[in-house]
Amino acid sequence: YMRSIDIIVDRAGFYETWGCIVWVPSVYTLHSRILVNSPSQYSWPAALAIFGVGVAGVFLNYWADAQRMTFREKKGDCLVWGKKPIYIPAKYVTIDKATGQLTEHDSLLLASGWWGTARHLQYSFELMAAWSWSLLSNPQVNGVLPLFYAVFLTILLIDRAKRDEKKCLKKYGKYYAQYMDMVKYKIIPGIY
């Protein structure tokens, strides 16, 4: 989380603090709180299947993040899905605010494995979990309010993907443009 765009861009200001203290506990648990008072009326097998999709989303999100982290820690000297990874060697420049000195850094942009299917595929996995858990509260029984979290998160992550793209284009320039050419989809492979 400390490497997320929210922390990088907004730091720990009002937006982040209020969000973590008020918004997240209220909104991200809304569907669960509704289920406590009004069960979904799903059969156990149906409920477990929907819940399983959510757990799979969490696992896949972790796997995608771990894949990229391992790749970067090993500087590309590893296997991704049993093959040598495809990546783009990239450079970026930082500015020391105190001295104004520019420093060039090297980085690797992974374009295989999960990161070769969509540039922000981890958001698909987050949405997979959010929608399954919201649908677990059965909107046909409990109305549309339990879907608020999933709808909100969908809007948030689509916007965040756009902000991520701008940030990465600014940071990596032509290297990220090359990555975008290699990995065509932003969030959902084959769709968006």
Side-chain angles (χ1 to χ4, degrees):
Y1 184 72
M2 297 309 286
R3 295 179 187 174
S4 74
I5 191 167
D6 293 332
I7 292 295
I8 292 168
V9 174
D10 300 320
R11 302 289 179 215
F14 175 79
Y15 166 78
E16 282 298 312
T17 306
W18 182 85
C20 291
I21 293 172
V22 178
W23 186 258
V24 170
S26 300
V27 173
Y28 285 38
T29 62
L30 181 62
H31 52 281
S32 299
R33 288 184 286 122
I34 288 171
L35 272 172
V36 168
N37 291 321
S38 179
S40 68
Q41 300 177 18
Y42 284 129
S43 66
W44 274 104
L48 284 173
I50 295 169
F51 183 76
V53 169
V55 171
V58 171
F59 172 75
L60 291 169
N61 190 13
Y62 172 79
W63 185 8
D65 286 343
Q67 186 178 78
R68 182 175 56 186
M69 187 175 71
T70 300
F71 166 78
R72 286 199 173 153
E73 285 173 354
K74 296 190 181 262
K75 296 181 174 36
D77 189 22
C78 61
L79 297 178
V80 174
W81 289 353
K83 299 176 186 173
K84 286 190 67 139
I86 298 167
Y87 61 90
I88 299 165
K91 296 188 181 298
Y92 65 96
V93 176
T94 57
I95 301 171
D96 183 319
K97 291 183 182 180
T99 65
Q101 182 179 3
L102 301 177
T103 306
E104 187 175 80
H105 302 276
D106 294 318
S107 187
L108 301 174
L109 305 178
L110 180 59
S112 60
W114 292 117
W115 302 96
T117 59
R119 297 186 300 273
H120 305 284
L121 186 67
Q122 77 276 25
Y123 295 161
S124 292
F125 299 143
E126 285 185 46
L127 291 172
M128 187 172 142
W131 279 97
S132 69
W133 292 332
S134 292
L135 290 171
L136 190 58
S137 62
N138 196 350
Q140 291 179 330
V141 172
N142 291 312
V144 296
L145 185 58
L147 297 178
F148 179 76
Y149 161 60
V151 170
F152 166 76
L153 194 64
T154 300
I155 294 166
L156 174 78
L157 293 181
I158 288 171
D159 179 65
R160 182 178 287 172
K162 290 176 187 174
R163 292 186 296 144
D164 284 351
E165 299 275 288
K166 286 180 186 174
K167 179 181 151 277
C168 290
L169 280 167
K170 183 177 180 183
K171 179 178 180 178
Y172 295 112
K174 66 180 180 180
Y175 304 107
Y176 197 77
Q178 183 182 353
Y179 175 67
M180 291 171 71
D181 286 340
M182 289 177 74
V183 182
K184 299 289 184 201
Y185 298 101
K186 194 179 287 189
I187 299 174
I188 303 170
I191 298 173
Y192 174 72

